[in-house]
Amino acid sequence: MDGPAGAGKSTVARTIAGRLGFLYLDTGAMYRALAYKALTEGVDVRDDEALSELLADTVIELYPAEHGNVEVILDGVDVTEKLRTPQVNATVSQVAGFASVRTEMVARQRVLASQGGVVMDGRDIGTCVLPEADVKFYLTASLDARAQRRYHEMQRMGYNISLARIREEIEHRDMLDSSRPYAPLSKADDALLVDTTDMEVEEVVAYMIEVCRQRLT
Ligand code: DC
């Protein structure tokens, strides 16, 4: 499952994984964990060599948690609550833009998916990580709808950021994710496009589960 920030991928992916008894793998959390580690250790997030060295020395584990959430363990420490801060949001696209970082992350993601039975979400899953995936979706929504969703998410987490600023950040992140030279955000030719702008989560989930059932049986 791929798509831009705020399209509803993680909500939908974790719900579908729960209902189908699959494991939900949030690949964005892996890039976020590396960005977080770089920020806390003072590693320059514009230096791809330094980031690759840091990643080589980093263990990122994803575990299923309550309500279908994913617990992220970075070098043995639970950092789940630290990965969606404005600081990480502002640097993660930079970190995820480097080919050397992505090559290593993609290799790790393929290992995680190798047993099958997973729902994986990200930006390059259908195009690069798992080109042979049984079912591919590309979720999108209007910029306004995506900004609204992120705004409510940030409010729930206690961050007081204006809707206008979140809209700008998302637009900027979309631009970086879509225009990077290596594995940019794009829809795989064989992915089903789902525009969630005017859809309820349950509607999206029901549609996707139906597609999965048809394809997987
Ligand atoms: O899905 P998310 O917002 O948690 O992703 C965080 C960032 O990581 C996002 O800016 C794009 C990047 N990312 C990526 O480049 N490739 C992935 N497979 C997943 C995320």
Side-chain angles (χ1 to χ4, degrees):
M1 199 181 295
D2 294 304
K9 295 186 303 292
S10 55
T11 307
V12 165
R14 86 165 71 96
T15 309
I16 291 179
R19 293 204 197 156
L20 295 179
F22 288 175
L23 186 64
Y24 167 46
L25 294 173
D26 173 5
T27 62
M30 298 173 72
Y31 291 98
R32 286 175 180 274
L34 180 63
Y36 169 77
K37 184 169 176 179
L39 288 170
T40 49
E41 298 204 352
V43 172
D44 185 352
V45 293
R46 291 160 305 181
D47 182 342
D48 64 334
E49 254 179 55
L51 282 173
S52 298
E53 272 174 34
L54 188 69
L55 180 56
D57 199 24
T58 299
V59 179
I60 303 168
E61 295 162 284
L62 304 178
Y63 292 106
E66 277 186 349
H67 310 300
N69 290 326
V70 172
E71 188 176 79
V72 187
I73 309 293
L74 174 66
D75 298 327
V77 178
D78 184 351
V79 293
T80 315
E81 301 299 324
K82 303 197 162 133
L83 301 184
R84 299 198 169 265
T85 63
Q87 292 85 344
V88 172
N89 286 345
T91 44
V92 64
S93 288
Q94 168 94 45
V95 169
F98 292 119
S100 52
V101 168
R102 300 198 69 82
T103 306
E104 172 61 18
M105 288 294 198
V106 168
R108 293 186 188 195
Q109 288 156 11
R110 286 184 180 144
V111 171
L112 291 174
S114 60
Q115 304 291 318
V118 299
V119 179
M120 191 174 255
D121 86 359
R123 302 293 189 287
D124 60 340
I125 309 305
T127 51
C128 175
V129 182
L130 303 174
E132 308 297 328
D134 291 315
V135 190
K136 296 182 188 177
F137 293 104
Y138 187 88
L139 252 70
T140 188
S142 70
L143 178 61
D144 283 332
R146 294 186 291 117
Q148 281 281 355
R149 290 173 193 166
R150 273 291 143 94
Y151 175 68
H152 292 304
E153 188 183 323
M154 295 309 269
Q155 294 261 311
R156 276 198 302 274
M157 289 193 299
Y159 292 109
N160 193 15
I161 308 175
S162 72
L163 178 60
R165 169 124 178 260
I166 288 181
R167 193 179 188 281
E168 265 171 34
E169 272 178 10
I170 288 188
E171 204 171 16
H172 182 62
R173 203 136 67 86
D174 283 353
M175 188 272 292
L176 291 178
D177 294 340
S178 311
S179 64
R180 67 181 176 224
Y182 188 76
L185 165 66
S186 70
K187 179 186 162 304
D189 290 340
D190 54 349
L192 283 167
L193 179 79
V194 186
D195 185 335
T196 68
T197 307
D198 296 313
M199 288 175 88
E200 298 292 333
V201 171
E202 188 49 45
E203 238 180 302
V204 180
V205 167
Y207 166 70
M208 289 167 96
I209 285 188
E210 184 51 32
V211 172
C212 289
R213 289 204 198 286
Q214 283 173 13
R215 297 272 178 97
L216 299 174
T217 48

